[in-house]
């Protein structure tokens, strides 16, 4: 396979640090720009598209795009456009867009009917909403999920839906809510969940709205192809910004007195936990549960997503017990620790993390050293007080 750098630029700050959600509404896009978002294109509606042409095997991707302010609404339109225009039929199964509840998805008309003067109509007036509407008006490219991942006519255009359920607070547990909601929706929704003989999704990827892709959606789907793709059947819960690279970092790897280790130890974590194993159904008593740090932006297999959802459904499931432990102890940064800790403490899945060469590259794809880089300032200075100079952010480096 030709070695090349695959990058999705992540030029963003962690959600909710900016005050722009509360800013007075203003035009998000100049009048001349609206034409860009009024038409939706995809390979399937290209006059030169040949549906009988064989294409390389690929995963069916499920994306969650989270937007929370004016900037991510504008950038999110570019992200959606990039995925839409480079996804051949079957590459992308579904795109869920979650709009922060403080932004909301109310239209001016519906708000007027409800006598609601509190909304600032950021989504309604955004290029993202304009482009979503254009794509849903182009059924060969996108459709809502009322008929499942394939409608009665056999159309497998991607499902595109916009929701607004949560208002996450930075560093609090609520940062996990949109991701867990999307996982639950994809797993339990009768139109989207796995069924014998029916198509479904293979890989779940959550993205910030200000992600800037620089590789095609088709190529991403090929890399994650479950059987032969170099990234297939691998759970990525971290990136190069993690101290240990592409694999999660144990809290014991951080130096004593370092910020992350000290914060959790001061709150009595790690600790033993008792829970029901979602895979075996057996009660596990007083299990030493090591905390691992990763990233809030992940690429996960369908099987692990289902495991997370099952472990959250039962009040004594491993995921739910871990959630309550993190909330009760009032630790911060749970969006960086919850999924990584659950993965590394699940016997069925802790072997599905990336397998690395001695130089930190992925064994199955040696040119890949980093899945992505979330922020220009992530871990700067790091837990050892060292400052790194960064020029870019990457998805597949």
């Amino acid at each position: 396979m030709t070695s090349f750098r695959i990058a999705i630029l992540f030029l963003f700050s962690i959600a909710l640090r900016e005050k722009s959600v509360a800013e007075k509404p203003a035009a998000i896009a100049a009048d001349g720009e609206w034409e860009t978002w009024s038409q939706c294109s995809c390979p399937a509606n290209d006059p030169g598209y040949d549906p009988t042409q064989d294409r390389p095997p690929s995963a069916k991707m499920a994306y969650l795009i989270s937007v929370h302010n004016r900037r991510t609404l504008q950038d999110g339109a570019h992200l959606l456009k990039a995925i839409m225009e480079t996804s051949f039929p079957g590459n992308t199964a579904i795109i869920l867009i979650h709009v922060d509840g403080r932004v909301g998805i109310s239209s001016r008309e519906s708000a007027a009917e409800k006598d609601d003067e509190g909304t600032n109509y950021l989504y309604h007036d955004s290029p993202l909403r304009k482009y979503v509407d254009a794509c849903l008006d182009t059924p060969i490219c996108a459709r809502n999920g009322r008929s499942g991942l394939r409608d009665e006519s056999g159309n497998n255009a991607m499902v595109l839906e916009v929701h607004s359920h949560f208002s996450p607070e930075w560093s609090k547990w609520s940062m996990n809510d949109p991701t867990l909601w999307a996982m639950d929706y994809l797993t339990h929704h009768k139109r989207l969940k796995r069924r014998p003989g029916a198509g479904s999704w293979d890989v779940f990827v959550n993205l910030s709205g200000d992600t800037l892709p620089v590789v095609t959606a088709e190529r991403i789907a090929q890399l994650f192809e479950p059987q032969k793709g170099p990234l297939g059947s691998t759970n990525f819960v971290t990136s190069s910004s993690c101290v240990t690279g592409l694999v999660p970092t144990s809290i014991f790897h951080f130096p004593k007195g370092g910020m992350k280790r000290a914060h959790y130890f001061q709150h009595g974590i790690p600790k033993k936990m008792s829970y029901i194993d979602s895979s075996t159904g057996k009660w596990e008593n007083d299990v030493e549960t090591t905390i691992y740090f990763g990233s809030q932006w992940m690429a996960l297999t369908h099987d692990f997503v289902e495991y997370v959802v099952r472990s959250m459904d039962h009040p004594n499931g491993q995921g739910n017990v871990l959630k309550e432990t993190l909330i009760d102890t009032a630790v911060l940064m749970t969006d960086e620790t919850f999924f990584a800790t659950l993965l590394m403490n699940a016997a069925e899945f802790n072997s599905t993390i990336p397998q690395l060469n001695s130089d930190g590259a992925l064994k199955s794809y040696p040119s890949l050293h980093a899945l992505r880089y979330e922020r220009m300032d992530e871990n700067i200075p790091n837990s050892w007080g060292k400052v790194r100079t960064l020029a870019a952010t990457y998805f597949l480096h």
Side-chain angles (χ1 to χ4, degrees):
M1 181 181 296
T2 302
S3 173
F4 63 98
R5 297 162 78 91
I6 307 166
I8 286 186
L9 299 181
F10 287 88
L11 309 177
F12 72 91
S13 299
I14 281 293
L16 312 177
R17 277 190 169 178
E18 301 182 14
K19 63 180 181 180
S20 53
V21 167
E23 291 174 355
K24 190 174 182 62
I28 295 180
D31 291 340
E33 297 177 8
W34 283 112
E35 187 62 29
T36 301
W37 310 112
S38 63
Q39 297 182 5
C40 183
S41 297
C42 66
N45 73 346
D46 187 302
Y49 173 66
D50 180 3
T52 65
Q53 179 182 357
D54 289 335
R55 307 201 69 82
S58 67
K60 294 179 176 65
M61 308 298 291
Y63 291 101
L64 167 67
I65 300 174
S66 297
V67 296
H68 65 277
N69 60 14
R70 180 177 284 107
R71 178 174 56 82
T72 53
L73 282 167
Q74 177 134 8
D75 292 344
H78 291 277
L79 170 57
L80 178 60
K81 191 176 188 338
I83 295 175
M84 188 68 62
E85 292 183 348
T86 60
S87 285
F88 282 81
N91 293 155
T92 303
I94 182 169
I95 298 176
L96 298 174
I97 299 174
H98 184 270
V99 181
D100 189 295
R102 282 161 292 199
V103 173
I105 55 177
S106 297
S107 67
R108 294 184 181 276
E109 293 78 11
S110 64
E113 292 174 0
K114 299 176 183 178
D115 194 26
D116 179 8
E117 298 180 356
T119 182
N120 50 20
Y121 313 112
L122 285 182
Y123 174 75
H124 183 261
D125 293 346
S126 71
L128 178 59
R129 193 272 305 171
K130 183 81 170 177
Y131 192 67
V132 166
D133 289 351
C135 289
L136 291 176
D137 286 339
T138 312
I140 197 171
C141 293
R143 55 197 173 82
N144 60 45
R146 284 195 292 269
S147 58
L149 295 180
R150 182 183 291 270
D151 65 20
E152 294 178 356
S153 67
N155 179 16
N156 65 344
M158 72 177 72
V159 172
L160 177 60
E161 296 184 1
V162 179
H163 297 258
S164 181
H165 303 294
F166 306 100
S167 302
E169 296 182 69
W170 183 80
S171 82
K172 302 294 181 63
W173 171 263
S174 57
M175 292 286 288
N176 295 297
D177 286 338
T179 302
L180 286 169
W181 162 80
M183 290 180 172
D184 185 83
Y185 189 78
L186 290 168
T187 301
H188 283 322
H189 200 293
K190 63 181 181 180
R191 299 190 303 267
L192 306 176
K193 66 182 181 180
R194 282 175 169 168
R195 297 189 306 275
S200 186
W201 54 274
D202 299 308
V203 179
F204 170 74
V205 177
N206 64 326
L207 300 170
S208 172
D210 48 7
T211 302
L212 300 176
V214 296
V215 64
T216 67
E218 181 187 36
R219 181 58 181 155
I220 293 173
Q222 292 169 3
L223 289 167
F224 279 101
E225 198 277 321
Q227 302 303 319
K228 296 183 179 180
L231 310 185
S233 302
T234 303
N235 284 297
F236 292 89
V237 291
T238 186
S239 65
S240 64
S241 60
C242 197
V243 175
T244 48
L246 284 170
V247 298
T249 303
S250 166
I251 196 170
F252 295 105
H253 186 86
F254 293 101
K256 292 182 178 179
M259 182 270 291
K260 291 186 175 181
R261 179 168 177 169
H263 173 69
Y264 273 72
F265 272 75
Q266 288 167 2
H267 287 76
I269 294 181
K271 62 171 60 180
K272 295 180 179 179
M273 295 195 329
S274 299
Y275 52 83
I276 290 178
D277 187 305
S278 301
S279 297
T280 65
K282 295 181 179 179
W283 179 259
E284 303 291 345
N285 197 47
D286 291 335
V287 179
E288 293 282 355
T289 304
T290 300
I291 294 294
Y292 286 83
F293 277 81
S295 168
Q296 70 182 110
W297 311 107
M298 303 165 289
L300 306 175
T301 64
H302 196 139
D303 287 341
F304 181 63
V305 170
E306 285 189 342
Y307 174 83
V308 172
V309 172
R310 290 198 310 270
S311 73
M312 297 296 291
D313 283 345
H314 196 288
N316 292 318
Q318 184 183 18
N320 209 44
V321 172
L322 177 59
K323 169 188 173 180
E324 295 303 321
T325 300
L326 296 174
I327 292 175
D328 291 346
T329 53
V331 292
L332 305 178
M333 302 172 286
T334 60
D335 54 325
E336 297 179 15
T337 58
F338 176 73
F339 295 101
T341 299
L342 197 58
L343 177 66
M344 296 303 292
N345 285 277
E348 182 181 354
F349 292 100
N350 57 20
S351 62
T352 64
I353 63 173
Q355 303 300 307
L356 307 181
N357 293 324
S358 58
D359 64 350
L362 194 68
K363 285 184 178 180
S364 60
Y365 200 63
S367 63
L368 189 146
H369 289 261
L371 183 70
R372 66 185 88 193
Y373 199 89
E374 290 94 13
R375 295 205 316 266
M376 298 298 286
D377 63 335
E378 178 78 7
N379 290 335
I380 298 180
N382 63 21
S383 295
W384 285 266
K386 297 179 181 178
V387 175
R388 295 176 295 169
T389 300
L390 304 171
T393 57
Y394 300 95
F395 174 57
L396 297 173
H397 173 61

